Amino acid sequence: MSDTSDNREFRIEHDSMGEVRVPAHAKWRAQTQRAVENFPVSGQRLERTHIEALARIKAAAAKVNAELGVIDEDIAAAIEEAAAEVAEGRWDEHFPVDVFQTGSGTSSNMNTNEVLATLAGERLPEGRGVHPNDHVNASQSSNDVFPSSIHIAATAAVTRDLIPALARLADSLERKSAEFSEVVKSGRTHLMDATPVTLGQEFGGYAAQVRYGIERLESALPRLAELPLGGTAVGTGINTPPGFSAAVIAEVARATGLPLTEARDHFEAQGARDGLVETSGQLRTIAVSLTKISNDLRWMASGPRTGLAEINLPDLQPGSSIMPGKVNPVIPEAVLMVAAQVTGNDTTVAVAGAAGNFELNVMLPVIAKNLLESVRLLANAARLLADRTVDGITANVERAREYAESSPSVVTPLNKYIGYEEAAKVAKKSLAERKTIREVVLEAGYVERGDLTVEQLDEALDVLRMTRP
């Protein structure tokens, strides 16, 4: 049935609440259309990886349901074929439901059921229909399917995208650490001069931060990869045949290659989303690490005349619409914004994760949106930072060494010869008279008095040696 009012074509679909007018081209049906009309909130839809995860569950469920005699084999095969197309991204435009919807994700689960029912029905002989609830959603509930889809999507994104991107960044930083191993510079604490370090030591520290971020993600993966699938409505598994959950999870794991397991406790897995909250916390920690690294790079590259100018970042684009020749640290700035977004996303995930009432969390879609966005942003930012910035960094070796040698903190190794208080006097005089530490020590007569020899003075003021005591 069609309606051409307002120059648009529609068809009439129905559900348990009655008739609904649906765009004629749409693969979705009545419940999806109700959600589109009920939730015109943000215009943001599910992440691509999330749609894929829902399709993977439906394909596996159809296969297992056929094996267990719950649905006919020809219907199951048609659902599997349709789900494969959805997983590939061929029908993303038919997933129009806003992220801000019913807290269980029921609208998006039904959107998936309806699209697959339509696509599967097109594969079967006329009159052989596929029902979104009775066939596609058989042995399932939104309450176990939707959270499982978040865990699957997040596990895939972390293992396939984020961890490799972080490894790429760590590799880049480690190469620079080796390249800069002999580049001595002034250390800094409280943004004030401190005893010397090498640029390589600093970059090695950055690489370690990123490597530890990978370790943190890997430590969270066992909980992230646990699925509540099979618990159906409240965790009891009502309307699910024996063996269904284990078989479906094994099939999704086989199809995706992900280390997915069945929840050890379905009531924990259904009522709480602690595994997602934990993972989001690890993402926030990685964001904090990238903030420290990016800010250090900006500081060290500041200048070129009135900043530190210890390193040079690659010139990528003009930095000002009014100041000719100005170039800014654009990639580190973009990474800093990503880190800020991820930190905010984590706050949302934490608040939403606390919204588990009895047997169900009712903020699932917003958890999914923020967690998956954080993974995607961090992966992109890590690759950009490695490829567009770190790989191209060069050191201003002489300037860095000049800072190290002129820092009053290089007086520190003299403590054992002339004592802390005398060394402090030397440092203050060096600053006041703009002389080197060596000049002040010689003028003050410490060598003549026998407090130390010239050889001991030279050794004590060897700034590179100070980095390897």
Side-chain angles (χ1 to χ4, degrees):
M1 181 175 179
S2 66
D3 182 340
T4 57
S5 61
D6 299 325
N7 297 318
R8 296 178 63 192
E9 292 189 353
F10 296 89
R11 68 178 192 273
I12 300 300
E13 293 282 353
H14 73 277
D15 58 14
S16 61
M17 294 182 68
E19 293 185 342
V20 181
R21 199 168 69 157
V22 176
H25 75 282
K27 299 299 181 184
W28 68 81
R29 300 185 186 180
Q31 291 198 42
T32 300
Q33 188 62 35
R34 291 188 192 279
V36 169
E37 295 169 5
N38 285 335
F39 307 115
V41 181
S42 69
Q44 299 176 73
R45 304 179 182 183
L46 297 190
E47 292 266 340
R48 162 95 280 280
T49 52
H50 197 174
I51 296 172
E52 177 184 351
L54 284 164
R56 297 288 186 191
I57 292 172
K58 299 300 177 179
K63 180 178 181 179
V64 173
N65 274 324
E67 293 171 352
L68 297 177
V70 176
I71 63 176
D72 293 342
E73 290 186 0
D74 60 340
I75 291 178
I79 293 171
E80 285 188 72
E81 291 176 10
E85 292 183 357
V86 170
E88 291 169 4
R90 291 175 56 180
W91 301 99
D92 284 1
E93 65 185 279
H94 295 274
F95 288 80
V97 180
D98 201 281
V99 164
F100 297 92
Q101 54 172 282
T102 178
S104 61
T106 298
S107 296
S108 285
N109 181 49
M110 284 306 304
N111 186 181
T112 308
N113 291 335
E114 290 179 344
V115 169
L116 292 180
T118 299
L119 294 173
E122 292 170 355
R123 288 167 163 76
L124 296 173
E126 189 173 350
R128 186 84 165 117
V130 178
H131 195 280
N133 297 83
D134 296 338
H135 298 130
V136 183
N137 200 61
S139 309
Q140 305 154 63
S141 165
S142 299
N143 296 356
D144 65 342
V145 166
F146 196 80
S148 293
S149 69
I150 306 173
H151 283 258
I152 293 168
T155 300
V158 165
T159 57
R160 295 174 182 171
D161 200 14
L162 180 53
I163 288 178
L166 292 173
R168 167 74 186 86
L169 177 57
D171 288 344
S172 179
L173 290 165
E174 284 163 356
R175 285 194 297 272
K176 289 298 171 180
S177 177
E179 180 183 337
F180 299 148
S181 62
E182 300 294 312
V183 179
V184 66
K185 54 165 286 182
S186 178
R188 295 184 182 89
T189 59
H190 305 270
L191 289 181
M192 306 300 286
D193 296 347
T195 54
V197 297
T198 68
L199 195 58
Q201 288 169 329
E202 288 184 327
F203 274 75
Y206 304 150
Q209 282 186 278
V210 178
R211 292 286 182 203
Y212 296 162
I214 294 173
E215 289 180 11
R216 291 183 176 97
L217 287 172
E218 290 174 339
S219 72
L221 272 176
R223 271 87 60 199
L224 180 63
E226 277 194 26
L227 306 185
L229 204 59
T232 61
V234 294
T236 60
I238 190 170
N239 283 3
T240 299
F244 175 82
S245 57
V248 171
I249 292 169
E251 175 59 22
V252 177
R254 182 202 64 77
T256 61
L258 298 173
L260 306 173
T261 59
E262 183 175 354
R264 288 166 288 174
D265 187 298
H266 276 275
F267 294 94
E268 183 278 338
Q270 202 115 332
R273 297 271 57 83
D274 293 350
L276 300 178
V277 174
E278 176 188 9
T279 301
S280 181
Q282 306 294 23
L283 299 177
R284 180 192 62 198
T285 302
I286 292 167
V288 168
S289 295
L290 294 182
T291 298
K292 189 266 194 287
I293 294 167
S294 296
N295 272 328
D296 277 9
L297 295 179
R298 293 169 64 233
W299 274 105
M300 286 190 288
S302 61
R305 291 290 184 267
T306 60
L308 297 179
E310 293 177 328
I311 63 173
N312 304 302
L313 304 184
D315 291 349
L316 298 178
Q317 63 187 56
S320 173
S321 62
I322 189 173
M323 292 176 280
K326 195 174 193 299
V327 179
N328 298 327
V330 292
I331 298 298
E333 289 173 352
V335 173
L336 288 169
M337 287 187 281
V338 164
Q341 183 67 56
V342 170
T343 301
N345 287 354
D346 178 63
T347 298
T348 299
V349 171
V351 172
N357 308 122
F358 301 109
E359 278 67 60
L360 185 67
N361 181 286
V362 290
M363 290 196 184
L364 296 175
V366 80
I367 291 176
K369 172 199 177 295
N370 285 275
L371 182 66
L372 296 175
E373 179 184 71
S374 290
V375 174
R376 174 168 51 82
L377 291 177
L378 285 173
N380 291 341
R383 281 191 294 269
L384 277 177
L385 188 59
D387 297 343
R388 306 285 290 172
T389 295
V390 176
D391 281 353
I393 290 175
T394 58
N396 291 326
V397 179
E398 294 305 318
R399 179 130 182 191
R401 189 177 188 93
E402 179 186 347
Y403 286 150
E405 292 177 342
S406 63
S407 168
S409 293
V410 300
V411 77
T412 302
L414 296 179
N415 288 356
K416 62 182 179 180
Y417 298 111
I418 64 176
Y420 181 92
E421 291 189 9
E422 287 297 312
K425 292 177 182 178
V426 170
K428 291 176 182 178
K429 187 172 183 180
S430 170
L431 280 175
E433 299 182 4
R434 300 183 68 83
K435 295 179 179 179
T436 67
I437 297 294
R438 191 176 193 280
E439 289 172 336
V440 173
V441 170
L442 291 174
E443 290 175 1
Y446 293 107
V447 174
E448 286 81 353
R449 289 199 303 269
D451 294 321
L452 76 168
T453 66
V454 171
E455 291 75 17
Q456 289 173 325
L457 176 62
D458 290 340
E459 181 179 305
L461 298 182
D462 183 342
V463 288
L464 184 57
R465 184 185 179 92
M466 289 182 204
T467 68
R468 302 160 186 165

